[in-house]
Amino acid sequence: MKCWSHFPQGVNLSTDQQQKVSIARALYSNADLYLFDDPLRDVHPNDGKHIFKRVLSSNGILKEKTRIFVTSEVHWLPLVDLIIYIQEGNLVEMSSYKELMKKNEKFAKFILSKLTKEQELNSEIEEDAEGL
């Protein structure tokens, strides 16, 4: 098994750059299956959109390949083909984003709670900024 995340000593790359190099190295392998573990987490948002669109999406470079994209960033979820929602090591739900949200079960409740927390955090940040 190849590990793409390690770089030789003496190479000074930012986390953002390391993520991009790791994705590029993976692409050169020309594999049938790609497993990405939160590859866009440390990438600048604009670059992340570009990478998702041009590489990971169903229209990207890997469109003919199997892509497993593990992420903690919920804003990518409406853009993927299939979501497998796992809680405490158990498969809870599996379907498209649209179908999972329509069912309004555990996945939908998780997404809504996550979005609510983000909105609350953004409101707190805005209030703090106004006080400066």
Side-chain angles (χ1 to χ4, degrees):
M1 184 170 105
K2 296 178 182 174
C3 182
W4 301 114
S5 63
H6 299 291
F7 295 92
Q9 290 204 352
V11 175
N12 293 319
L13 297 175
S14 68
T15 308
D16 174 81
Q17 292 167 324
Q18 289 177 19
Q19 289 291 87
K20 291 173 186 174
V21 169
S22 293
I23 292 167
R25 284 181 172 174
L27 292 176
Y28 278 109
S29 72
N30 194 29
D32 294 325
L33 170 68
Y34 290 84
L35 175 59
F36 293 100
D37 185 7
D38 223 352
L40 306 175
R41 178 186 60 229
D42 295 322
V43 175
H44 187 277
N46 288 333
D47 294 340
K49 283 188 223 176
H50 181 78
I51 292 168
F52 188 88
K53 181 179 178 182
R54 305 260 186 215
V55 177
L56 302 171
S57 77
S58 56
N59 295 321
I61 294 169
L62 299 177
K63 65 183 170 198
E64 301 296 324
K65 309 288 185 165
T66 301
R67 300 162 322 274
I68 299 174
F69 177 60
V70 178
T71 186
S72 58
E73 299 177 342
V74 297
H75 61 273
W76 297 114
L77 298 179
L79 305 173
V80 301
D81 301 325
L82 178 69
I83 295 171
I84 301 172
Y85 182 58
I86 298 173
Q87 254 183 349
E88 297 175 10
N90 297 309
L91 188 141
V92 178
E93 292 181 90
M94 182 171 74
S95 192
S96 68
Y97 182 84
K98 189 175 184 178
E99 289 299 315
L100 289 172
M101 293 306 285
K102 192 182 335 178
K103 283 174 49 178
N104 199 27
E105 294 179 5
K106 290 183 179 185
F107 174 79
K109 288 175 177 42
F110 165 75
I111 293 297
L112 294 173
S113 73
K114 186 119 172 131
L115 293 174
T116 301
K117 287 177 187 172
E118 285 181 16
Q119 288 173 342
E120 289 172 1
L121 180 61
N122 288 338
S123 294
E124 288 176 17
I125 290 170
E126 287 173 9
E127 288 174 12
D128 288 346
E130 288 174 7
L132 295 177

